[in-house]
Amino acid sequence: MKKILHRAADRGHADHGWLKTDYSFSFSNYYNPEKVHFGLLRVLNDDTIAGGMGFGMHPHDNMEIVTIVMEGAVKHKDSMGNTEVISAGEIQVMSAGTGITHAESNNSPTAPLKLFQIWVFPSEKNIKPRYDQKKLDLSKHENKLEAIISPGKEPGTLWINQDAWFLLGKFTEESSFSYKPQKQGNGVYVFVIEGAVEVDGEKLGKRDATGISDYESVEIKPSNNTELLFIDVPMR
């Protein structure tokens, strides 16, 4: 088993006034050669966007882009003709493929918007760009991990162009379980949204993360009132 540990306090940080971001991996003006990616997971940004503010039209290509809204709502517009609002409790997926442009902003003029934006390298380049979004049934995630994104159009999930799974769990009580990779050779990046957890005996708090690879199973012990995001990705 191989492990990396990313403490919340050691993340990169940017404060642009209207945008406050913590970077789990090198991004924009933040560069750490030891934190460029975890397998095919390239970006995990923890964003807070002020009311009425956002990003104008900008391009992406050949990347799987996942947005998980935690508080507020995102107003989205793209070159595929989509004009949508993604609210807290919803997830958005874009396969940038051959290329898209999009704009995203806080749908509220006053209240802050909080979200995670996550990028995964695709399994196939230059596919036709694609957009989807989904409201989560949070009752399915109570005291267990449940997939929200998968590669195979599994029921109840969105899909991405990669052999990767995103799983979410909201634990209201202490528990213990073993986690196995979704696909042989995959690693898992465990990110603590709220609360605390032990992963293979390592204690993690809010916004801490650990990456586990070359393993058969790993012991997970969430504390009560803990929310976890697992990103299960190929390592090469």
Side-chain angles (χ1 to χ4, degrees):
M1 179 186 293
K2 295 180 181 177
K3 295 191 290 184
I4 60 169
L5 180 62
H6 289 173
R7 294 293 183 190
D10 296 331
R11 293 180 295 174
H13 181 73
D15 186 346
H16 301 287
W18 65 274
L19 169 67
K20 294 179 175 61
T21 305
D22 289 297
Y23 305 119
S24 292
F25 301 98
S26 298
F27 191 86
S28 187
N29 292 328
Y30 168 66
Y31 178 71
N32 182 333
E34 296 181 354
K35 293 182 177 181
V36 176
H37 60 92
F38 173 75
L40 299 185
L41 171 61
R42 175 62 188 88
V43 167
L44 199 171
N45 291 350
D46 184 354
D47 294 346
T48 299
I49 301 170
M53 304 300 289
F55 302 91
M57 294 295 285
H58 58 283
H60 295 287
D61 63 65
N62 289 316
M63 192 66 70
E64 299 298 294
I65 301 171
V66 176
T67 300
I68 303 175
V69 182
M70 303 303 297
E71 183 179 318
V74 177
K75 182 164 59 178
H76 168 93
K77 184 177 182 179
D78 65 44
S79 55
M80 294 177 281
N82 299 296
T83 302
E84 304 289 348
V85 173
I86 307 97
S87 300
E90 290 188 286
I91 52 175
Q92 176 200 64
V93 168
M94 289 189 295
S95 292
T98 54
I100 60 169
T101 57
H102 77 130
E104 51 196 342
S105 61
N106 189 337
N107 196 51
S108 169
T110 55
L113 164 64
K114 297 184 179 182
L115 58 84
F116 298 113
Q117 187 163 105
I118 303 164
W119 297 4
V120 176
F121 290 112
S123 62
E124 181 183 354
K125 288 189 173 183
N126 298 320
I127 66 169
K128 182 180 178 180
R130 181 181 60 90
Y131 177 94
D132 204 355
Q133 72 183 75
K134 180 179 177 60
K135 184 173 179 61
L136 298 175
D137 181 356
L138 295 177
S139 65
K140 292 184 176 180
H141 306 277
E142 188 168 317
N143 295 315
K144 63 177 181 177
L145 286 176
E146 190 80 15
I148 58 175
I149 292 172
S150 68
K153 302 182 183 180
E154 296 175 7
T157 71
L158 295 179
W159 66 275
I160 59 173
N161 171 33
Q162 185 50 267
D163 289 330
W165 286 256
F166 287 51
L167 303 99
L168 188 68
K170 296 173 72 72
F171 298 87
T172 59
E173 56 191 36
E174 291 185 6
S175 62
S176 178
F177 60 92
S178 295
Y179 180 83
K180 297 180 180 180
Q182 298 292 316
K183 181 179 180 181
Q184 187 174 4
N186 274 20
V188 64
Y189 194 76
V190 180
F191 184 81
V192 185
I193 298 174
E194 296 286 348
V197 66
E198 281 190 27
V199 179
D200 191 41
E202 186 76 55
K203 294 183 178 180
L204 306 177
K206 180 178 178 179
R207 299 311 205 255
D208 288 345
T210 184
I212 308 290
S213 58
D214 291 341
Y215 76 107
E216 294 184 0
S217 69
V218 61
E219 291 301 309
I220 311 293
K221 296 182 179 180
S223 299
N224 59 340
N225 299 319
T226 291
E227 187 170 3
L228 302 174
L229 175 65
F230 282 44
I231 305 174
D232 192 299
V233 291
M235 295 306 294
R236 56 188 64 86

